[in-house]
Amino acid sequence: MVRIAHISDSHLGNTLFQLVERKEDVRKCLRKAVRMAMRQSPDILVHTGDLFDNPLPSMEDLNFAMELFKSVQDKVEVFLVHGNHDIPFGYHHIQSPITSLETAGVVKSTGKSDYKLHEVDIDGKKTEIHLISWTRERSFQRKLNDIIPETNPAFLFAHHIPVPKERLPIHFNYYGCGHAHSFWLDEEYDIGRPGSTCYVNWNKEIGGTKKLIVIDSDKQGNEYTTEQINDIREFKFPQAQITGMGPDEVNSYLKKILEKLSPKKDGSIIIVRVNGTIDSETENGLDRVKILQHAESKLNSLFVHIEPNWECYGPRDIRLNQPLNIETSIRDYVEQTEEKGLDELMDFLGRIMGV
Amino acid sequence: MLETLELKNFKVFTDQLIEFHNGSLAIVGPNGSGKTTILEAIEFALFKRITRKDKTVRRIEELIKHGRTKGKVKLTFTAPINQRTYTVVRKIYPGETKAELFVKGDHKPIESTPKKVDEEIERVLGMDRHAFSALTYVRQGEIDSLSRSTPSKRRSNLYNMMGLGIYDNTGSRAKKEFRSLKKELTSIKEAKINLEKIRTRLPSETELKEAELALQKIQTDSPSLDIDPIKILLDKVVLSVKDIESELNKPEISIRPEEITHEMKVSKQLQRILKTIPDIAEVQLRPHIRHEARSIFKEIFGDKYSDLVIDDDYDISLYDLKGNKVSLIAASGGEDVCVNFALRVGMNTALQKHSIASPPPGLLILDEPGAGLDAYRRRWLPDAVQGLDSIQQVIVVTHMEELKQSVDRVITLIPQGKGRQPLLEISD
């Protein structure tokens, strides 16, 4: 049996909202993920790309990665692929910081090119690990069609798999990828993506979770274990609905929403997504500075952010003469907001209502 | 607003005349005796439709009494818009209906086709059937469901009860249309690409002309050669080039895509507006609903509480006579349900006054307002019904005996068994 621990997208050097504190957080998150993986005592540890946020990482980050992988070197075989953030523009794999790690002998990767086959000996049995780094889509497709593994089990890891799962060749026991920062595991097609180890792009990651995937593969097939990886810093994503409120109402409402939160630790990051439809009077009357300062001091947070997701319906308050009559209401709305295209709207409405 | 309702072979009724007067009326009877049928007949007479728990009765002949071939509903009502009295007669045959609309007393109908009658009734009522049902009808179980729901749920429930759901429905229709337009656009694009692909494989017009000239030259140089087969071939090629050109220039391929993109834009705009309007409408109506609900509640519990306050999240709190705030959970002597009764009925009265351009219909229909409540929790209900005297006509359908004392008139339906029509006992 082969046991593989799969993590991805740690983005060392990423600073969310340009907060320097995040640099250390990101490192800690990766260390935590690796420790969680090691607790499962895997034969192989794979990181599917975007180890660094930038192909020119800081010395601190490079040293950190070097030391981290060196510390587990004796217990596990570490494989890395180059992600799109790890290599400079133009697919210059030789300029990737991961190549430095490989040269130092702490990890195994794809070297100077975008593909490499590694053979590992597990319990006296040869196992092939195929690595594909970030590359052109066509080149990826060609590789996928060309390579045929000679051992069973065999595994393929890439930063991104731009092929529909139904069209993947069947001779690999597991396909691992990264790139999109959300967790995904398809046990039918044996394809997995652990998600990022920390919050990098919260807007896309807000709905998903981040997990460690552990694959136990043998002749009978794969067995999966997953473990939640939480960011070291506490994140909260409250939502607010401000439709139809006036400026004062919104200000006190948002303050109230923020006050109600109770972060367990100091220094949390709080992102309020504010939805709804308001008029521009309200939008202009929003006292963002006061709300943010108030919340930061009350909650002892590192950072509070108001994400404007509201729609502003224009400068005027609209008066509907017959709120239950679709036609007159649309007419009122369009006339009072001075929007264009009333006739066309009416034609279209008539058509869909079948009049 | 309603004067008389005449039913012939309509569901359980063989031949029945029901008179309505101003004031309150209770229709009482055991389950299945035909109480709801009377309400359905009113809806059918006005709008040719019956909605039962949001489902429309599909087959019209289901309304005819078993074993008969045709049914008839005749409703006389006063239109709020001009205070004239109309009589609408609808006859039901298997698969079709006929309708006539009279001004009361006249023998000649003013409209005599179902479509025209529907339009005229909508005009004189000043609203369509959605608005009518939102304004006048409190459905079974609505009050109970309001009192069981959380504030946010209550808000969305009220939103639907206000009849603002039509905007959602229309919005999803616009969305559907958008999707079908998108589909059409891609199929046209694909067709265009295919045609263009074929065109690239065919020779251009100048190439064809050159070929023709070359052929002519061959003929003049050596007239003895038989070039007819080549000529026929060339003609065929010329024809197919022309065909492709004309296909590509057809308006379905050249102009239609632009039209579709424009329509898609309009659809997006409409979807956005339809999403905004319900909120605007709700905000606009909210103060009126609060006002009405408060006055209804104070009518009933005015000796115990001083105020009913509904905040923006439809969170309700009460104030006792000393000015203390009492949370709704603490006030459990039936007040919690009464608050929701006030809210629900206040919504109807507010809508009647503020949501239509024409005068209010002055009709309120309560279908089993006490459903799901035990005797103790509904003991205030007779008072509440009695207090609704600001509305001209209140019809309560119930099997609560205690409501009999609080209304002006009672119609009791007594089932006669064997499919015979129920006996009506009318008491003033």
Side-chain angles (χ1 to χ4, degrees), chain B residues 124-164:
Chain B
V124 299
L125 287 179
M127 57 197 146
D128 62 7
R129 66 185 177 91
H130 295 291
F132 185 81
S133 88
L135 262 58
T136 63
Y137 201 39
V138 178
R139 279 171 207 284
Q140 241 181 60
E142 278 184 347
I143 294 163
D144 190 39
S145 85
L146 275 181
S147 58
R148 281 168 201 275
S149 49
T150 56
S152 64
K153 193 85 183 292
R154 187 185 291 137
R155 183 180 171 155
S156 78
N157 276 346
L158 282 170
Y159 190 95
N160 285 330
M161 290 174 195
M162 266 185 240
L164 295 173

Side-chain angles (χ1 to χ4, degrees), chain A residues 320-333 346 349 353, chain B residues 122 126-128 130-132 135 162-164 166-167 170 274 277 281 285 351 354-358:
Chain A
L320 303 172
N321 286 314
Q322 301 182 49
L324 290 186
N325 186 327
I326 299 185
E327 229 170 279
T328 53
S329 295
I330 291 177
R331 215 176 277 279
D332 288 342
Y333 180 91
M346 282 305 166
L349 183 72
M353 300 297 284
Chain B
E122 258 185 42
M127 57 197 146
D128 62 7
H130 295 291
F132 185 81
L135 262 58
M162 266 185 240
L164 295 173
I166 43 165
Y167 288 97
T170 318
L274 286 173
I277 290 177
L285 291 168
L351 284 172
H354 303 284
S355 78
I356 47 173
S358 52

Side-chain angles (χ1 to χ4, degrees), chain B residues 119-311:
Chain B
E119 283 170 7
E120 186 62 13
I121 288 178
E122 258 185 42
R123 193 186 69 79
V124 299
L125 287 179
M127 57 197 146
D128 62 7
R129 66 185 177 91
H130 295 291
F132 185 81
S133 88
L135 262 58
T136 63
Y137 201 39
V138 178
R139 279 171 207 284
Q140 241 181 60
E142 278 184 347
I143 294 163
D144 190 39
S145 85
L146 275 181
S147 58
R148 281 168 201 275
S149 49
T150 56
S152 64
K153 193 85 183 292
R154 187 185 291 137
R155 183 180 171 155
S156 78
N157 276 346
L158 282 170
Y159 190 95
N160 285 330
M161 290 174 195
M162 266 185 240
L164 295 173
I166 43 165
Y167 288 97
D168 283 351
N169 291 343
T170 318
S172 51
R173 280 194 201 177
K175 222 177 200 167
K176 210 169 152 194
E177 182 73 16
F178 181 83
R179 275 200 296 270
S180 77
L181 284 171
K182 204 170 163 187
K183 220 171 165 183
E184 195 185 340
L185 188 65
T186 37
S187 73
I188 290 177
K189 271 186 178 158
E190 267 169 21
K192 198 177 171 187
I193 287 168
N194 275 338
L195 286 171
E196 274 168 350
K197 218 178 188 174
I198 296 170
R199 185 163 71 172
T200 54
R201 290 192 191 135
L202 288 170
S204 72
E205 270 181 56
T206 46
E207 279 172 328
L208 283 172
K209 277 221 172 92
E210 277 167 12
E212 241 169 283
L213 286 174
L215 205 61
Q216 273 171 19
K217 198 160 176 276
I218 292 169
Q219 202 171 22
T220 42
D221 286 354
S222 41
S224 58
L225 278 177
D226 180 22
I227 57 160
D228 275 357
I230 302 173
K231 215 170 182 179
I232 289 164
L233 195 71
L234 196 61
D235 284 346
K236 274 188 181 165
V237 174
V238 171
L239 264 182
S240 42
V241 168
K242 269 191 186 149
D243 272 355
I244 292 281
E245 273 312 311
S246 72
E247 276 293 318
L248 276 168
N249 285 327
K250 266 189 185 166
E252 295 96 82
I253 293 208
S254 57
I255 305 168
R256 184 76 183 130
E258 257 177 57
E259 278 176 20
I260 293 175
T261 12
H262 184 73
E263 273 177 16
M264 279 162 79
K265 235 178 173 175
V266 175
S267 161
K268 275 266 158 195
Q269 188 188 5
L270 188 66
Q271 283 177 45
R272 177 174 52 80
I273 293 176
L274 286 173
K275 227 172 149 185
T276 326
I277 290 177
D279 289 327
I280 301 173
E282 196 255 349
V283 169
Q284 190 176 317
L285 291 168
R286 201 190 291 160
H288 301 301
I289 294 173
R290 285 185 208 178
H291 178 83
E292 296 286 332
R294 178 190 282 156
S295 61
I296 291 171
F297 182 78
K298 284 188 69 182
E299 186 104 10
I300 308 164
F301 277 109
D303 54 350
K304 203 168 161 191
Y305 296 95
S306 65
D307 200 3
L308 161 79
V309 175
I310 306 167
D311 76 3

Side-chain angles (χ1 to χ4, degrees), chain A residues 280-346:
Chain A
S280 48
E281 197 196 342
T282 309
E283 194 171 40
N284 296 333
L286 256 179
D287 201 345
R288 302 170 204 227
V289 180
K290 269 213 181 122
I291 295 171
L292 295 178
Q293 279 174 354
H294 177 78
E296 271 184 32
S297 63
K298 260 247 148 78
L299 304 172
N300 254 333
S301 296
L302 172 65
F303 187 71
V304 181
H305 172 66
I306 294 177
E307 172 68 8
N309 197 30
W310 61 76
E311 270 176 63
C312 183
Y313 63 65
R316 265 197 253 167
D317 191 2
I318 291 155
R319 172 95 216 135
L320 303 172
N321 286 314
Q322 301 182 49
L324 290 186
N325 186 327
I326 299 185
E327 229 170 279
T328 53
S329 295
I330 291 177
R331 215 176 277 279
D332 288 342
Y333 180 91
V334 174
E335 276 166 11
Q336 290 173 41
T337 51
E338 292 175 0
E339 236 177 75
K340 291 198 177 65
L342 177 63
D343 294 343
E344 281 167 333
L345 280 172
M346 282 305 166

